[in-house]
């Protein structure tokens, strides 16, 4: 019968006293599970080394995306930092590690925790020297350089597209 757990403890019952449990069954009454039933139960669970590594990569991507969404879409910086810390603890060296540290740097800086921001900037400098995220955290004018480069590329594209529309294919190709 369905009862609350505190009532069950008074009756000194255990969960293995039901008539169908194997704990009380004779060995000849126990039904063996077939290989097909085992495969059916384990379907979708990674078993090979390749499947396990694929699962770890997917999980690290999911933690990174979760942290980014918490910050960008939900504006929940605490949960974002928590997700990024889980990513960096469980999956060190993952594809999104440098960017997750940069996100943490930005969040700490926005929240006024400059000491934590500087610790993360040093981590980026030690672990990913010369990377885009390290430069963004440690070089004050680097973001402006990136924007200027992006703007010049956009202007060049617009010039080429305008020349193409005007029929000046030689200039557009150049």
């Amino acid at each position: 019968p369905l009862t609350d757990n505190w009532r069950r403890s008074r009756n000194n019952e255990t969960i293995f006293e039901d008539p169908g449990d194997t704990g009380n069954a004779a060995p000849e009454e126990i039904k063996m599970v077939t290989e097909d039933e085992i495969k059916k139960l384990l379907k979708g669970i990674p078993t090979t080394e390749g499947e396990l590594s694929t699962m770890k990569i997917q999980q690290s991507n999911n933690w990174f995306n979760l942290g980014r969404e918490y910050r960008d879409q939900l504006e929940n910086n605490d949960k974002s930092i928590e997700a990024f810390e889980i990513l960096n603890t469980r999956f060190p060296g993952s594809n999104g590690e440098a960017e997750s540290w940069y996100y943490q740097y930005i969040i700490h800086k926005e929240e006024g925790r400059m000491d934590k921001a500087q610790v993360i900037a040093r981590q980026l400098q030690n672990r990913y020297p010369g990377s885009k995220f390290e430069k963004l955290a440690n070089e004050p004018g680097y973001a402006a350089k990136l924007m200027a480069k992006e703007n010049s590329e956009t202007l060049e594209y617009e010039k080429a597209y305008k020349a193409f529309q005007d029929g000046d294919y030689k200039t557009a190709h150049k």
Side-chain angles (χ1 to χ4, degrees):
L2 294 176
T3 59
D4 292 332
N5 284 337
W6 61 272
R7 290 184 185 154
R8 182 176 290 156
S9 66
R10 283 189 185 164
N11 295 335
N12 293 325
E13 294 178 10
T14 66
I15 59 172
F16 298 108
E17 291 180 358
D18 289 338
D21 290 339
T22 58
N24 297 332
E28 61 273 359
E29 295 176 7
I30 298 174
K31 181 183 173 194
M32 298 302 289
V33 179
T34 65
E35 190 71 30
D36 290 337
E37 290 173 327
I38 292 172
K39 286 181 182 178
K40 186 177 178 182
L41 287 172
L42 296 178
K43 184 180 179 185
I45 297 175
T47 54
T48 67
E49 196 62 38
E51 290 172 338
L52 287 171
S53 65
T54 301
M55 180 193 68
K56 286 179 182 178
I57 291 169
Q58 185 61 48
Q59 283 181 340
S60 70
N61 290 339
N62 291 344
W63 279 109
F64 176 77
N65 290 334
L66 180 66
R68 191 177 59 201
E69 293 298 315
Y70 269 131
R71 181 187 184 275
D72 296 341
Q73 301 297 322
L74 301 176
E75 298 175 1
N76 189 337
N77 288 340
D78 294 333
K79 286 287 192 180
S80 178
I81 287 176
E82 184 181 325
F84 287 135
E85 287 175 348
I86 290 172
L87 166 70
N88 295 332
T89 303
R90 289 188 190 171
F91 307 100
S94 66
N95 291 339
E97 184 179 50
E99 191 171 357
S100 73
W101 281 351
Y102 182 67
Y103 266 109
Q104 291 178 67
Y105 169 80
I106 291 172
I107 291 169
H108 287 304
K109 197 171 174 183
E110 288 173 351
E111 302 273 328
R113 298 184 293 251
M114 295 307 293
D115 54 333
K116 290 184 179 183
Q118 288 305 316
V119 168
I120 292 173
R122 275 187 246 115
Q123 283 180 324
L124 279 166
Q125 193 172 29
N126 294 335
R127 188 89 187 251
Y128 298 98
S131 72
K132 174 174 77 171
F133 301 110
E134 183 270 327
K135 289 180 180 179
L136 284 168
N138 292 305
E139 293 181 24
Y142 187 71
K145 289 179 190 175
L146 280 179
M147 292 302 294
K149 182 180 177 186
E150 187 175 312
N151 287 341
S152 69
E153 289 173 352
T154 302
L155 288 174
E156 287 296 318
Y157 173 78
E158 288 174 359
K159 286 180 190 176
Y161 188 69
K162 176 81 169 105
F164 177 80
Q165 284 181 326
D166 292 342
D168 187 3
Y169 302 116
K170 187 175 181 180
T171 303
H173 181 71
K174 184 177 160 186

